[in-house]
Amino acid sequence: MTRPYSEDLRERAVALAEAGQTIRSIGAALRISPSCVSKWRKLKRETGELRPGQIGGHKRRTLTGKWAAWLRRRVLSGRRCTLRGLAAELAARGVKTDSRAVWVFLHAEGLSFKKNRAGGRAKPS
């Protein structure tokens, strides 16, 4: 991913726009997209700053706290379950999640059920 433009460039572009130059001429002079100038003017007007927003970062897991404890108990209870089924049970309890998030949680916790040779489920690993 590319880095955001510097605050210095942003300030120069907005200053030129406030001085009356057109957005297209500013874009051509500074070798940036005219839409950048437009968006920076709006950002300055709405927030008073030109600092770029955060790029990337860590998204908190949805399955933490009481829902993590519930999911652990549910999986270790021995009752049959699938990822989709667990996601549906959580949704019924008001937790917005999907089967991928359930899988990530179970994998991180080391909770998986492998089939044994007899065709049933082995004990939790």
Side-chain angles (χ1 to χ4, degrees):
M1 187 172 255
T2 61
R3 292 183 305 145
Y5 286 117
S6 69
E7 284 189 60
D8 176 56
L9 179 65
R10 293 165 178 250
E11 290 170 1
R12 284 188 289 153
V14 170
L16 290 172
E18 289 173 350
Q21 286 194 20
T22 65
I23 291 175
R24 289 187 187 277
S25 66
I26 297 168
L30 298 178
R31 293 185 174 178
I32 57 175
S33 169
S35 68
C36 284
V37 179
S38 175
K39 290 174 186 175
W40 293 340
R41 285 177 62 196
K42 181 180 178 188
L43 181 66
K44 177 79 171 184
R45 189 172 47 247
E46 290 178 353
T47 67
E49 296 180 348
L50 290 172
R51 191 172 51 225
Q54 179 182 354
I55 296 177
H58 177 73
K59 183 179 176 187
R60 236 181 46 138
R61 290 187 177 170
T62 57
L63 298 174
T64 58
K66 72 176 188 176
W67 297 116
W70 177 87
L71 192 53
R72 273 187 220 97
R73 285 192 311 273
R74 171 63 179 87
V75 170
L76 294 174
S77 71
R79 291 185 5 233
R80 237 181 102 126
C81 58
T82 63
L83 293 176
R84 286 184 184 168
L86 291 171
E89 287 182 44
L90 286 164
R93 288 169 169 72
V95 180
K96 185 177 179 184
T97 190
D98 64 350
S99 58
R100 170 74 179 164
V102 173
W103 181 87
V104 167
F105 173 81
L106 294 177
H107 183 72
E109 294 283 319
L111 298 171
S112 70
F113 291 97
K114 304 291 182 187
K115 291 183 180 177
N116 61 23
R117 291 184 185 198
R121 288 182 170 221
K123 294 184 179 185
S125 59

